[in-house]
Amino acid sequence: MSVVSVIGGQWGDEGKGKIVDYICRDIDLVARYQGGANAGHTVYINNKKIVLHQIPSGIIRENCDCILGNGMVVDPIGLVEEIKLLESFNIDVEDRMYIAFNSHIVTPFHKMIDKFSESKSKKKIGTTLKGIGPAYVDKYNRTGILAFDLLDHSNLNLKIQSKLSDLTSQYDNHDFDLKEIKDSLDKFKECCEKISKYIKDGFNLLHERYKSNSNILIEGAQGTMLDIDHGTYPYVTSSSPTSGGISTGLGFPGNQVNENIGIFKAYTTRVGEGPFPTELNDRFGEKLRKIGSEFGATTGRPRRCGWFDAVAARYSCKLNGFTKIALTKLDILDEFDEVLICNSYKIKGKEYSNFSEAQYYLNEVEPVFQHFPGWNESTYGKKSFEDLPENAKKYVLLLSNILETPIKIISTGPKRNQIISI
Ligand code: GDP
Ligand code: IMO
Ligand code: MG
């Protein structure tokens, strides 16, 4: 029996979907604890790409049941589309998916507010416009709609009416297209009805499975540097992707999690606004984006690219208590003469190696880079560490030393079997 978590160590899109899928061959239950349809986790089914947003990536393994935990904000419209997509791949979610009673529901109002705030704001976050922030606002304001509310239609209708009147009193007619909102409400209600059969006691399932020695995987979404408490606030998401979020987001004690696996790309990307100390606004950044196909899995936006930021990554290891690391997209560095690692930040002439000291001055950072020779040889699809070029091996070992955490998995391509397990 083991309980492992898979958590993004950087700014999201580290390849969590791929690693979850790989590990899930031996897993009975996979659970998500935070976020919602802002996530985009890419997995492959028989060489066909599929992007999951809310359903844990383990669903594509027949042996896995899934929980959408209480810490999530669930979008019924998106979820119905995702179920359909999976069905088109002959993957049946019936009897395998549990939505926690106390997860919160994203309504069309939340999406509208997200779009409105982003379009009017002078300090844009660059959100995914999936209504995530506004749904969590309602949760913390104690005015949210729970998944449990979907089980009682008349109660749900009352709550929707009350939200609609709040919206019309708080915003001007010019701010929203009321007709558009009313139209989307019909579809919303239809989807609420469709997903209601999945709203079940996920808490009990998780604890029963734990007691019966099942193998459980806890799938993080987003990444550590987007954490509402510990990330680059305010340019963060509205949940807790770090390991601390597991206890509250699933009602599962942190001390019962045996392994916390941190997922890191061999370089760094970020999508949306906010500071990014190692960002490359030059031909090297463009090259990483091109070779790495760095475009958002949810929004299609180009991802900002830069070298590996070891200052942020060390902070991430401490925050999450990573017991091991999965390093992804090593193959993307194959065609670089040199690879760089940022091991400290220089701010106003002073050098910092602790992220927490530098966190509020990130826009002033001059990254201090160490240069290493590249390998100029393909690592694509390699399956054993011994087969990697010498300089690639050195790069991996160096990162492991810098982060004081063993790198136990190396991903060398997007497909399930393009992986090295050490
Ligand atoms: P997630 O949000 O952390 O699950 O990551 P995304 O799915 O948003 O983005 C990761 C992208 O990199 C996806 O397109 C994956 O198919 C791809 N990917 C994952 N691991 C590797 C790898 O080792 N090599 C290559 N070339 N692509 C990878
Ligand atoms: P996965 O799980 C990368 C970013 C958005 C924006 C900020 C807030 O695929 O790694 P939100 O819509 O959450 O209010 O947006 O967070 N963001 C992500 N970036 N990967 C993600 O998920 C993300 N989910 C949100 O771009 O900067
Ligand atoms: Mg993603």
Side-chain angles (χ1 to χ4, degrees):
M1 178 269 302
S2 75
V3 183
V4 296
S5 72
V6 167
I7 295 173
Q10 296 158 312
W11 275 275
D13 302 326
E14 298 89 350
K16 297 176 290 293
K18 145 107 195 214
I19 302 298
V20 168
D21 173 52
Y22 170 70
I23 299 175
C24 275
R25 65 188 168 170
D26 299 323
I27 296 288
D28 311 298
L29 181 69
V30 55
R32 261 192 59 186
Y33 58 96
Q34 44 73 232
N38 47 351
H41 296 180
T42 313
V43 283
Y44 280 81
I45 306 174
N46 301 330
N47 285 330
K48 283 208 178 125
K49 182 172 156 169
I50 172 167
V51 179
L52 293 162
H53 301 285
Q54 302 188 76
I55 303 180
S57 310
I59 194 77
I60 71 167
R61 298 272 195 179
E62 273 177 10
N63 45 297
C64 279
D65 291 328
C66 290
I67 295 178
L68 278 67
N70 62 276
M72 286 186 72
V73 284
V74 177
D75 172 1
I77 299 179
L79 196 56
V80 167
E81 281 168 16
E82 214 164 307
I83 295 168
K84 267 196 209 142
L85 176 72
L86 285 166
E87 282 170 354
S88 74
F89 282 88
N90 289 324
I91 294 167
D92 196 1
V93 302
E94 193 90 43
D95 300 327
R96 294 176 58 208
M97 188 167 82
Y98 290 65
I99 303 172
F101 289 129
N102 47 350
S103 56
H104 276 252
I105 296 295
V106 177
T107 64
F109 307 122
H110 296 127
K111 292 185 209 170
M112 296 273 176
I113 297 169
D114 201 356
K115 277 185 199 139
F116 178 75
S117 324
E118 280 288 275
S119 67
K120 293 283 176 240
S121 171
K122 292 203 176 81
K123 209 175 176 186
K124 294 187 198 317
I125 307 288
T127 75
T128 58
L129 306 179
K130 299 288 180 188
I132 305 297
Y136 279 114
V137 165
D138 274 1
K139 169 172 172 168
Y140 284 95
N141 203 20
R142 293 152 295 173
T143 55
I145 297 179
L146 292 174
F148 183 75
D149 294 323
L150 271 47
L151 301 178
D152 176 345
H153 293 220
S154 53
N155 178 34
L156 177 64
N157 274 329
L158 285 176
K159 293 209 166 188
I160 293 172
Q161 277 316 314
S162 140
K163 293 245 159 268
L164 187 59
S165 62
D166 284 354
L167 194 78
T168 43
S169 67
Q170 282 168 18
Y171 293 90
D172 205 277
N173 273 348
H174 304 296
D175 297 334
F176 292 113
D177 182 343
L178 259 184
K179 182 174 176 320
E180 195 187 320
I181 296 183
K182 285 186 176 148
D183 288 350
S184 63
L185 280 180
D186 290 339
K187 187 168 180 201
F188 173 69
K189 286 182 196 167
E190 200 184 294
C191 293
C192 287
E193 167 92 51
K194 283 189 180 150
I195 66 163
S196 58
K197 64 178 169 192
Y198 301 105
I199 300 167
K200 294 182 279 193
D201 191 354
F203 176 85
N204 195 38
L205 177 78
L206 179 59
H207 284 273
E208 283 296 318
R209 291 286 178 91
Y210 179 73
K211 215 167 121 190
S212 65
N213 287 335
S214 290
N215 290 326
I216 298 168
L217 186 147
I218 300 173
E219 176 174 342
Q222 288 77 55
T224 299
M225 306 312 291
L226 291 171
D227 185 276
I228 183 81
D229 284 279
H230 303 289
T232 48
Y233 192 90
Y235 299 99
V236 291
T237 190
S238 303
S239 69
S240 306
T242 44
S243 56
I246 294 174
S247 315
T248 50
L250 282 173
F252 190 77
N255 65 353
Q256 289 177 195
V257 180
N258 311 102
E259 291 268 18
N260 286 317
I261 307 178
I263 316 299
F264 289 88
K265 254 179 214 177
Y267 48 99
T268 311
T269 62
R270 168 163 212 172
V271 60
E273 302 301 320
F276 181 178
T278 62
E279 182 168 19
L280 292 165
N281 289 308
D282 57 12
R283 67 190 171 91
F284 293 110
E286 195 51 52
K287 187 170 168 182
L288 282 171
R289 180 159 41 250
K290 194 162 170 234
I291 304 179
S293 305
E294 294 295 356
F295 296 89
T298 298
T299 58
R301 291 177 291 176
R303 294 176 183 146
R304 299 156 64 192
C305 298
W307 295 118
F308 192 88
D309 183 343
V311 183
R314 270 197 302 266
Y315 171 73
S316 180
C317 289
K318 283 185 194 149
L319 261 175
N320 291 291
F322 288 142
T323 52
K324 50 173 134 161
I325 288 175
L327 188 72
T328 62
K329 303 191 95 163
L330 184 67
D331 54 299
I332 305 306
L333 298 181
D334 287 351
E335 292 167 38
F336 286 83
D337 294 332
E338 272 194 320
V339 284
L340 277 64
I341 296 176
C342 167
N343 214 355
S344 61
Y345 297 157
K346 202 178 250 182
I347 302 167
K348 294 195 176 105
K350 194 177 160 201
E351 212 160 310
Y352 294 82
S353 54
N354 279 332
F355 186 84
S356 52
E357 285 179 274
Q359 190 167 9
Y360 299 101
Y361 310 98
L362 292 182
N363 285 327
E364 297 166 57
V365 163
E366 264 177 70
V368 181
F369 285 116
Q370 292 180 333
H371 295 240
F372 300 93
W375 40 95
N376 273 309
E377 201 183 313
S378 175
T379 63
Y380 187 75
K382 289 269 192 281
K383 295 188 177 73
S384 90
F385 188 73
E386 285 64 43
D387 285 350
L388 291 179
E390 283 310 309
N391 285 347
K393 283 186 200 162
K394 282 187 190 155
Y395 184 69
V396 172
L397 293 175
L398 189 77
L399 285 180
S400 189
N401 279 339
I402 290 177
L403 303 181
E404 296 178 2
T405 313
I407 295 178
K408 289 288 192 185
I409 297 174
I410 302 165
S411 176
T412 55
K415 310 278 171 58
R416 195 180 264 176
N417 63 351
Q418 295 173 316
I419 203 149
I420 298 171
S421 183
I422 303 172

